[in-house]
Every structure is written in structure tokens, then in C-alpha cells.
């Protein structure tokens, strides 16, 4: 596809891409005009011109978007120029973004004569923020609705970096971060009548949008908090295993407001996984829902929770429930539990390579970090409507809540499956301006064409995380809103945020990250653990090492050795012990980043990080013919989300079929681990490659299957 250059594209090509002959004739004139206007220019200028004049419409067939994009960049040399850009910031608009605004206001005083404008000086300002995080945070904290009961003694205490690698952030400060979400503020502008949440139930596509104002949200949160006060003691852990509904958000904020600790559990987990999380967190109770509704189907949730044997269950009906009550005027007053900024408020879980999920503590610093990043990189503002299909059991759930409420944006929730037309119509009707996704979801939308006929042109930017993005899928997504940027985000629960991202002040390339996040520094390590020393715009590939001064990053784990997990074995750099993240990243020519996978055997399936060990334990028991299994994940040859591949060694005398094993493995994994996981491919081998100490070399197996799949694609 698209190996013709754009100047060679004719009417016949345009007809084959889905246009009528009349439309193709007119569109070819547009192409010729753009080529004439950009004669002698770089391919990126041709693309910029076509996008600026909105030559390609959201309703044009995707084949046309593919033809034009790939033809424009047919002779683009990635090795010398880096990935081709598809979105370009404008100087005028850049000055009206959040980051552009503070750069215009403070750039000259912080950078001196080196400051030019938000686009030219962005990279310089990002580096300044990493070298002087105190200066950056002193500015940005004033941009969010963060109100301290006791002000911090300083931004960062560096006095004990030997024992506390990340320092102490905002020491001495006291607040309740849930209260900060709920109170009116003059800046950012939030009043009692501001829209806090907009939502719609699946199946009600032609109904109006339901709304909850800030005052209504505050009153419902307080009513739940008062009930919690009567049942539990400060610091108790209370789990939530529910879909991401308005009720779930109210419960989440109420738990924090009352000084309790949220335990986040994804609603897709099997009883065994729920039980593990309840045990590790020592949860005193769990909120859940009777069923999960998806169209006309009902999936049991309460019964799974009960099987996990919690101490206490608070169950809500899926239909017609309102967890809060309307308070009388005299009942509205409530005194939140004010606590130090480093107090635990939320326990989230991330699978490690040992098979048991790591219990990751979020303190009140974590919401500040994630909200600040959405403010800076997605330009989250008052008036924005922010939607991201997710769940409170995954890090994006809390990020969505705090990024909306601490910036003054409206949170948009669809109570149902995001896979179909109903979700897309909600995005249209709710006036969503910032839409978050995961790549597998975008692929489903594109392949099923379920969003055809909808108007998503109010969207100012998209965001994507959880998996490696596919260029063609992102091309489809961006085109739905006249090529608005897709902000790629890569980070972790333990960071409360992303360490590399896109933004609105730099050109963006599909599937690539244009910058480290604000205040973040990193180095890329070679195979010997030594940092590459090339300039930032030169290519290299290796494991990432993060500078440890990172507001919101964990300094402890609840069921593992934090030092061993994140710092042991990492090199010193500029006097600081680097923090391990585990990603292998490639820095391209031009300074973009592309994630290449994990340094360990953790894999990323459907946006959920899991370990090879967990999957192998389940699959080893799936059939009597099996000696052992090995789980690896690979990305498709043309890019996109990782796919699960199982290698199998059979017992002597057995002759099982790979396809039968694939079905059994998928069923076993879905029953015991996660119903969202599935096996893409099974390969039966006589033995596994191992080290001299008998350790399984999954890396070798991964390389073998990559080579095999690549060879198949060429046939």
C-alpha cells in the first residue's frame, strides 16, 4: 500500500481508495494544488498543508486516508529523519495551551535570553524542569485545585537522598485530596453549578446525557463518607470491584474523604485474583455490583466477589441505583480527614515476575502528579470533557478522576461496553474534547467500522496508553477529528504517571513519544548497563533508567522489597542511583522514543501487565500431555498490541494438536487469571533453550517466533 509517491497518485487510485469518479477528480485537483503550493518542500510540509486545509475529511473512506498518508511519506527516510510527523503545533495556539501559557509568563525569567517561544523553547524548558523541579512545581501547583490545610515547608527535601533516593516531596503539608476535587475554586474556575460528571447507560443511545454538578457530586460523596465513618476506622482498607460508573467514582472519593484507603480491583478478575488482592491489602470490606451489564447480556460480578470470601460485601444493583442520598441543608457540613501528603490513600496492583501482584501504594502525592501531567501534556482545562474507557482496578481509573477534577474538567463516563456504536454516540453527544484509548480498542473500532456516521470533531486531542500503538490504527483514529494529535503515554502505576509522552508543543508522529514528561530525566543503558552518551537527537536502544527525583513515584511496596525491585543493580549516574522501570526503549533520530518491550519477562496483554510465570502455571495444568510451557509475547509484524504465544513440550507418546491446546490454554487462562486474555498461537517443540544454570531462555523463544512470523508475512 502507498508505495507510489503523492505526485503519482491518479484518479484511478483515488477511486480504488473508495471515492466516486467525480469525487476522485475533484480530490486530485486538491492534491495538485497542495503539491504546487509546497513545491520543493519536504514531505512533511506537503502533509502539513493537506491537513491544514482539511482536504481529508473524517467521513472519507479510510482507504483514502491510507493512500494519501503513505503516498506523501513514500520516500521518507526514517533512518535519517526519524518517524514522519502527522501533527504540527501552531505558534498562536501554542501560547494558549497550559504549558505555553506558563512558558510565556515565566520563560524569560527562568531561561533568560535563551527563551524564544513555547514551540522553539519547549525542549529547553523540559530539561530545566528536570534539573530544577522545585521551580516547576512551585508554578504548576498553583494551576491545579490543590488546597493545603498546612502548607509544605518546601517543594523537595534532598537532605537524605542516600536512604531515600527520591527525596521527600512537599514535606509538612497536610490536605485531603478528595476534598480538593469537590470544592469550588476561583482558579481553575469551578463553581457549584459546574458539570462534574456526564454519563449515559448503554442501550440509552437516544436519551439525553445525565449530568452531576459539582455540588451534587460533593453532597453524594459526603453522604457515603458519613456512612463509612459509622462502620470503619481511619486507615481501614476498603476495596472497590465495580465497573467505572458514577457510583464507583462517588464511592472512591468518599473512601478517601473519610480517611480510609481504597483497594482497587478490576471487575474482570476471577475469584482467585480478587481473593489475593483482598488478602494482601487486608481489606475490611468491598463495594461491588450484582451484575455487569453489556447490551442485553448480564455477567455475574457479586457471585465472583463472594467466592473470594471478603469480610464484608456492600453490593449495589446494576440498574437504578444511586449510592448517595440527597442531604438536608443541615447535613451538608462535613469535616474531611486531613492527613500528611505522604499518607496512603489507594492500593493498586501490578503483576510482577514472581506471580504475585505487587501492592503499589498511592499517597496524596500521586493524584497531584497524574493531574499535573494531564494538565501539561494533554492540556486539560476548564470546559474540557474527558473520557477514557477504563476501570478503577487499573491505574487509568484514578488518573481519569484526578486529572478531571483537579483541573476543572468534566469527567465523562459510559456505563457499558466501549466497543460499539453506543459508546461512540456518547462521545459525540457528550461533547467529549479529550478521548483516551488503548490500541486494541482503536483496532476494534476501525475493523468493525462501528463509529461510521458519528461526529467526533469536537475532540481536541486523543491519548493512548497500555500497549504499543499501531500506526495505521492511529491514522484512523486521528482522522476522525481532522487529524488531532494522539498523545502517546508510557509509564506505570508505581510512577503515578508517564515518563515519556507526547504533547501539544512538538510535532507528533504515530506510535512515538516526543518527549520525556515534565520534570523527568532518563538515560538509556547499553547491554553493559552504561548510559549512551549520544546527543538527544541521535538513535540508540536499551533499557531505560529513570532519575529518582520523581514526585509521585513510590518509595515503598506493601508486599515486596522496594529497594530490590526498583534500585538494586541499577548504576549510579551523576551521583544518583537510577530507578528501574523495565522498559526497553529506542530513541530515534530526531529525539522520538519508541517502546520496544520489557527487559524482564513481564508481558503486556490488552493493556494489562502480567508475568510469564503466572500464565505458565495455569497452562502447565491445562492438559495431561504437557511437560512444560513457556509464555512469550510478540508484537505483530505490522505493529500493534502484543500477542500471547505459548511454547509447549509434550510428554513422550503424546501427539496433541496445537490448535486444541490453544483452545484449552485460552479457557484455562480466562478462568484462572483474566477473561480478557487469549492465546494467539501455540508452537510445540522438543525442548526449551536454557542457560547453564537451567534457567529458561524466553528471549530466545521470543526471537524464534518473531523470525517465524516475519517469514510467514513475506510469503
Amino acid at each position: 500500500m502507498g508505495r507510489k509517491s503523492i505526485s503519482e497518485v491518479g484518479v484511478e487510485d483515488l477511486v480504488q481508495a473508495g471515492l466516486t469518479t467525480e469525487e476522485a477528480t475533484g480530490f486530485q485537483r486538491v492534491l495538485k494544488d497542495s503539491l504546487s503550493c509546497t513545491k520543493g518542500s519536504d514531505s512533511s510540509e506537503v502533509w502539513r498543508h493537506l491537513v491544514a486545509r482539511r482536504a481529508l475529511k473524517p467521513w472519507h473512506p479510510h482507504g483514502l486516508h491510507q493512500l494519501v498518508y503513505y503516498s506523501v511519506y513514500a520516500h521518507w527516510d526514517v533512518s535519517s529523519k526519524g518517524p514522519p510527523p502527522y501533527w504540527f503545533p501552531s505558534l498562536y495556539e501554542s501560547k494558549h495551551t497550559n504549558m505555553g501559557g506558563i512558558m510565556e509568563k515565566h520563560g524569560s525569567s527562568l531561561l533568560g535570553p535563551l527563551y524564544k517561544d513555547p514551540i522553539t523553547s519547549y525542549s529547553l524548558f523540559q530539561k530545566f524542569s528536570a534539573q530544577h523541579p522545585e521551580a516547576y512545581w512551585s508554578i504548576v501547583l498553583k494551576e491545579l485545585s490543590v488546597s493545603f490545610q498546612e502548607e509544605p515547608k518546601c517543594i523537595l527535601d534532598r537532605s537524605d537522598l542516600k536512604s531515600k533516593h527520591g527525596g521527600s516531596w512537599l514535606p509538612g503539608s497536610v490536605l485531603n485530596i478528595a476534598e480538593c476535587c469537590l470544592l469550588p475554586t476561583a482558579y481553575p474556575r469551578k463553581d457549584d453549578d459546574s458539570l462534574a460528571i456526564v454519563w449515559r447507560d448503554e442501550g440509552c443511545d437516544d436519551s439525553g446525557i445525565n449530568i452531576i454538578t459539582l455540588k451534587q457530586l460533593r453532597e453524594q460523596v459526603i453522604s457515603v463518607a458519613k456512612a463509612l465513618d459509622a462502620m470503619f476506622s481511619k486507615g481501614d482498607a476498603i476495596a472497590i470491584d465495580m465497573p467505572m460508573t458514577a457510583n464507583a467514582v462517588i464511592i472512591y472519593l468518599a473512601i478517601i474523604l473519610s480517611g480510609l484507603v481504597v483497594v482497587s480491583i478490576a471487575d474482570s478478575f476471577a475469584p482467585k485474583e480478587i481473593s489475593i488482592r483482598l488478602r494482601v491489602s487486608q481489606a475490611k470490606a468491598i463495594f461491588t455490583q450484582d451484575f455487569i451489564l453489556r447490551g442485553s447480556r448480564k455477567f455475574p460480578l457479586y457471585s465472583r466477589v463472594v467466592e473470594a470470601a471478603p469480610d464484608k460485601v456492600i453490593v449495589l444493583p446494576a440498574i437504578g441505583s444511586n449510592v448517595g442520598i440527597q442531604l438536608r441543608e443541615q447535613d451538608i457540613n462535613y469535616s474531611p480527614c486531613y492527613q500528611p501528603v505522604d499518607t496512603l490513600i489507594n492500593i493498586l496492583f501490578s503483576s510482577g515476575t514472581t506471580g504475585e501482584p505487587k501492592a503499589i501504594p498511592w499517597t496524596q502525592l500521586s493524584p497531584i502528579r497524574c493531574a499535573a501531567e494531564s494538565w501539561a501534556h494533554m492540556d486539560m482545562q476548564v470546559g474540557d470533557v474527558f473520557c477514557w474507557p477504563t476501570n478503577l482496578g487499573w491505574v487509568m481509573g484514578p488518573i481519569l478522576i484526578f486529572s478531571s477534577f483537579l483541573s476543572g474538567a468534566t469527567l465523562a463516563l459510559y456505563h457499558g461496553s466501549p466497543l460499539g456504536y453506543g459508546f461512540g454516540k456518547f462521545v459525540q453527544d457528550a461533547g467529549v474534547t479529550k478521548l483516551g484509548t488503548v490500541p486494541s480498542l482503536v483496532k476494534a473500532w476501525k475493523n468493525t467500522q462501528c463509529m461510521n456516521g458519528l461526529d467526533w470533531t469536537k475532540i481536541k486531542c486523543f491519548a493512548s496508553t497500555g500497549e504499543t500503538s499501531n500506526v495505521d490504527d492511529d491514522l484512523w483514529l486521528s482522522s476522525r477529528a481532522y487529524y488531532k494529535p494522539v498523545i502517546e503515554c508510557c509509564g506505570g502505576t508505581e510512577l503515578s504517571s508517564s515518563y515519556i509522552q507526547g504533547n501539544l508543543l512538538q510535532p507528533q508522529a504515530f506510535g512515538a513519544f516526543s518527549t520525556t514528561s515534565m520534570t523527568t530525566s532518563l538515560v538509556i543503558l547499553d547491554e553493559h548497563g552504561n548510559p549512551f552518551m549520544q546527543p538527544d537527537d541521535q538513535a540508540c536502544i536499551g533499557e531505560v533508567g529513570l532519575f529518582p527525583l520523581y514526585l509521585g513515584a513510590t518509595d515503598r511496596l506493601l508486599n515486596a522489597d522496594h529497594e530490590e525491585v526498583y534500585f538494586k543493580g541499577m548504576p549510579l549516574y551523576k551521583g544518583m542511583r537510577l530507578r528501574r522501570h523495565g522498559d526497553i526503549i529506542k530513541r530515534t533520530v530526531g529525539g522520538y522514543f519508541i517502546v520496544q518491550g520489557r527487559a524482564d519477562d513481564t508481558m503486556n496483554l490488552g493493556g494489562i501487565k502480567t508475568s510469564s510465570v503466572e500464565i505458565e502455571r495455569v497452562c502447565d495444568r491445562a492438559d495431561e500431555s504437557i511437560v512444560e510451557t513457556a509464555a512469550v509475547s510478540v508484537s505483530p509484524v505490522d505493529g500493534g498490541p502484543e500477542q500471547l504465544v505459548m511454547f509447549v513440550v509434550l510428554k513422550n507418546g503424546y501427539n496433541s494438536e496445537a490448535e486444541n491446546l490453544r483452545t484449552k490454554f485460552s479457557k484455562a487462562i480466562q478462568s484462572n487469571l483474566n477473561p480478557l486474555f487469549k492465546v494467539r498461537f501455540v508452537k510445540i517443540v522438543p525442548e526449551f533453550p536454557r542457560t547453564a544454570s537451567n534457567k529458561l531462555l524466553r528471549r530466545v523463544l521470543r526471537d524464534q517466533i518473531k523470525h517465524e512470523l516475519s517469514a510467514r508475512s513475506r510469503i
Side-chain angles (χ1 to χ4, degrees):
M1 172 200 323
R3 286 309 171 191
K4 283 186 176 182
S5 70
I6 192 65
S7 61
E8 298 170 324
V9 170
V11 171
E12 183 178 342
D13 299 306
L14 296 169
V15 170
Q16 290 179 352
L19 297 183
T20 66
T21 302
E22 182 180 354
E23 291 170 336
T25 302
F27 194 86
Q28 190 188 40
R29 285 197 295 268
V30 172
L31 290 181
K32 288 182 176 179
D33 183 55
S34 292
L35 289 170
S36 175
C37 292
T38 57
K39 188 175 182 179
S41 298
D42 189 271
S43 298
S44 62
E45 287 303 313
V46 177
W47 178 256
R48 185 205 289 255
H49 189 269
L50 286 168
V51 170
R53 68 183 294 176
R54 295 194 166 187
L56 289 161
K57 313 295 185 186
W59 54 86
H60 277 151
H62 183 55
L64 179 66
H65 292 273
Q66 292 174 307
L67 175 64
V68 175
Y69 174 78
Y70 293 116
S71 297
V72 166
Y73 285 117
H75 303 300
W76 182 269
D77 185 0
V78 174
S79 63
S80 64
K81 296 181 178 180
Y86 69 93
W87 182 85
F88 308 86
S90 78
L91 184 58
Y92 173 78
E93 291 179 353
S94 73
K95 294 181 179 182
H96 292 83
T97 63
N98 292 330
M99 280 301 302
I102 66 169
M103 288 176 67
E104 285 288 272
K105 184 176 181 180
H106 302 283
S108 294
S109 61
L110 296 177
L111 302 179
L114 295 176
Y115 181 74
K116 305 300 180 187
D117 60 69
I119 295 175
T120 306
S121 304
Y122 172 79
S123 293
L124 190 62
F125 191 74
Q126 192 285 327
K127 289 179 182 177
F128 175 88
S129 77
Q131 295 166 355
H132 307 280
E134 295 93 335
Y136 177 81
W137 283 110
S138 67
I139 294 169
V140 173
L141 282 172
K142 297 173 184 176
E143 303 292 327
L144 304 172
S145 58
V146 176
S147 177
F148 296 104
Q149 294 300 304
E150 296 182 25
E151 294 289 329
K153 297 174 183 176
C154 61
I155 297 293
L156 173 61
D157 181 356
R158 302 174 183 244
S159 63
D160 191 21
L161 294 182
K162 287 188 177 181
S163 63
K164 198 168 185 178
H165 302 294
S168 296
W169 292 91
L170 309 181
S173 61
V174 174
L175 75 162
N176 186 295
I177 198 67
E179 182 190 49
C180 296
C181 294
L182 299 169
L183 292 180
T185 55
Y187 189 83
R189 180 68 182 175
K190 295 192 300 182
D191 56 42
D192 277 345
D193 294 327
S194 296
L195 292 184
I197 300 176
V198 294
W199 58 276
R200 176 185 280 166
D201 287 326
E202 186 174 9
C204 299
D205 298 349
D206 296 324
S207 301
I209 297 294
N210 300 286
I211 66 170
I212 300 176
T213 66
L214 185 64
K215 181 180 180 182
Q216 291 169 336
L217 176 63
R218 184 170 65 249
E219 290 178 352
Q220 293 188 49
V221 170
I222 288 173
S223 73
V224 176
K226 288 188 172 185
L228 292 171
D229 287 344
M231 292 189 287
F232 303 103
S233 301
K234 304 300 182 189
D236 283 349
I238 310 297
I240 302 177
D241 189 349
M242 297 175 64
M244 188 77 173
T245 63
N247 278 339
V249 172
I250 290 166
I251 293 166
Y252 182 90
L253 291 173
I255 292 172
I256 298 173
L257 191 72
S258 60
L260 305 173
V261 178
V262 177
V263 180
S264 294
I265 301 178
D267 63 1
S268 60
F269 279 136
K272 179 182 176 183
E273 295 299 312
I274 299 171
S275 178
I276 290 172
R277 286 154 177 79
L278 293 174
R279 172 180 56 80
V280 170
S281 64
Q282 301 180 19
K284 297 296 177 67
I286 183 169
F287 280 89
T288 191
Q289 200 169 281
D290 53 359
F291 295 97
I292 298 173
L293 304 180
R294 290 292 181 264
S296 60
R297 303 178 65 187
K298 294 167 64 175
F299 298 91
L301 179 56
Y302 172 67
S303 60
R304 278 192 276 131
V305 169
V306 169
E307 193 176 335
D311 289 348
K312 185 190 295 284
V313 182
I314 305 165
V315 59
L316 281 70
I319 300 175
S321 62
N322 186 347
V323 70
I325 59 173
Q326 193 67 36
L327 296 177
R328 296 172 298 177
E329 196 67 36
Q330 61 266 36
D331 294 332
I332 292 175
N333 292 328
Y334 180 78
S335 296
C337 180
Y338 298 114
Q339 302 180 98
V341 74
D342 59 355
T343 300
L344 175 66
I345 62 166
N346 193 179
I347 300 172
L348 296 112
F349 292 88
S350 176
S351 291
T353 55
T354 61
E356 179 168 280
K358 296 190 295 293
I360 297 176
W362 264 34
T363 69
Q364 297 194 92
L365 288 166
S366 306
I368 295 173
R369 176 77 193 204
C370 66
E373 292 214 345
S374 296
W375 179 91
H377 290 268
M378 289 186 66
D379 197 41
M380 202 65 62
Q381 299 186 4
V382 173
D384 276 325
V385 181
F386 188 18
C387 181
W388 199 317
T390 185
N391 186 270
L392 286 172
W394 308 120
V395 69
M396 275 313 309
I399 287 177
L400 177 64
I401 290 173
F402 293 115
S403 295
S404 299
F405 296 148
L406 293 181
S407 65
T410 298
L411 171 61
L413 300 172
Y414 183 68
H415 297 178
S417 170
L419 288 170
Y421 176 86
F423 173 79
K425 190 169 188 299
F426 169 72
V427 169
Q428 170 190 279
D429 296 349
V432 169
T433 60
K434 306 287 169 70
L435 178 61
T437 66
V438 293
S440 56
L441 186 57
V442 177
K443 184 178 290 293
W445 291 341
K446 185 191 78 171
N447 291 345
T448 61
Q449 301 182 44
C450 62
M451 302 306 175
N452 286 358
L454 294 171
D455 182 358
W456 281 9
T457 56
K458 288 184 180 179
I459 294 174
K460 300 175 183 176
C461 77
F462 300 92
S464 181
T465 193
E467 317 170 271
T468 303
S469 290
N470 176 280
V471 170
D472 195 64
D473 294 342
D474 274 0
L475 174 71
W476 176 89
L477 181 66
S478 180
S479 72
R480 298 306 90 189
Y482 286 108
Y483 287 97
K484 294 300 192 299
V486 182
I487 304 301
E488 299 284 346
C489 312
C490 180
T493 307
E494 74 283 359
L495 298 177
S496 312
S497 62
S498 299
Y499 68 94
I500 49 176
Q501 294 194 67
N503 64 53
L504 301 182
L505 299 180
Q506 294 177 301
Q508 298 300 305
F510 289 127
F513 308 80
S514 63
T515 180
T516 48
S517 61
M518 297 305 297
T519 75
T520 299
S521 288
L522 62 79
V523 294
I524 298 175
L525 306 172
D526 65 19
E527 58 185 359
H528 304 294
N530 300 316
F532 285 100
M533 303 306 293
Q534 294 102 318
D536 290 347
D537 60 352
Q538 296 300 303
C540 61
I541 182 172
E543 183 175 355
V544 66
L546 300 176
F547 280 47
L549 298 179
Y550 197 110
L551 187 150
T554 55
D555 60 9
R556 62 192 185 277
L557 292 170
L558 303 185
N559 63 340
D561 187 328
H562 189 271
E563 181 74 15
E564 182 173 338
V565 171
Y566 295 115
F567 291 98
K568 185 177 180 181
M570 292 297 286
L572 286 169
Y573 186 73
K574 294 186 177 181
M576 290 183 286
R577 181 73 61 189
L578 294 175
R579 181 181 178 116
R580 178 181 295 107
H581 182 69
D583 284 342
I584 301 293
I585 64 173
K586 176 182 179 181
R587 188 175 65 208
T588 73
V589 172
Y592 290 91
F593 298 102
I594 299 175
V595 177
Q596 302 292 294
R598 298 289 295 172
D600 55 20
D601 288 318
T602 298
M603 59 184 71
N604 192 326
L605 303 176
I608 301 169
K609 291 179 182 177
T610 191
S611 72
S612 298
V613 174
E614 285 182 299
I615 292 174
E616 290 159 5
R617 284 174 178 168
V618 170
C619 291
D620 284 348
R621 303 190 303 269
D623 189 87
E624 63 179 359
S625 66
I626 295 170
V627 173
E628 61 180 339
T629 62
V632 300
S633 64
V634 294
S635 295
V637 175
D638 60 349
E642 294 176 30
Q643 297 177 338
L644 176 59
V645 177
M646 297 300 302
F647 285 82
V648 184
V649 175
L650 298 177
K651 296 176 183 176
N652 289 334
Y654 283 86
N655 190 27
S656 298
E657 296 291 333
E659 184 58 26
N660 290 337
L661 289 176
R662 188 185 72 83
T663 301
K664 290 183 177 182
F665 289 160
S666 291
K667 288 182 178 178
I669 292 168
Q670 290 165 2
S671 298
N672 292 279
L673 293 178
N674 194 308
L676 303 179
F677 294 170
K678 62 181 178 181
V679 178
R680 176 69 178 84
F681 184 70
V682 170
K683 185 172 179 62
I684 299 172
V685 295
E687 62 182 2
F688 292 154
R690 296 185 180 276
T691 65
S693 60
N694 207 41
K695 290 182 179 178
L696 177 61
L697 287 169
R698 294 186 186 86
R699 171 179 51 80
V700 174
L701 294 174
R702 189 180 297 114
D703 291 342
Q704 287 177 3
I705 198 65
K706 282 183 178 179
H707 178 75
E708 184 173 330
L709 293 176
S710 177
R712 287 184 183 184
S713 70
R714 292 194 296 268
I715 297 175

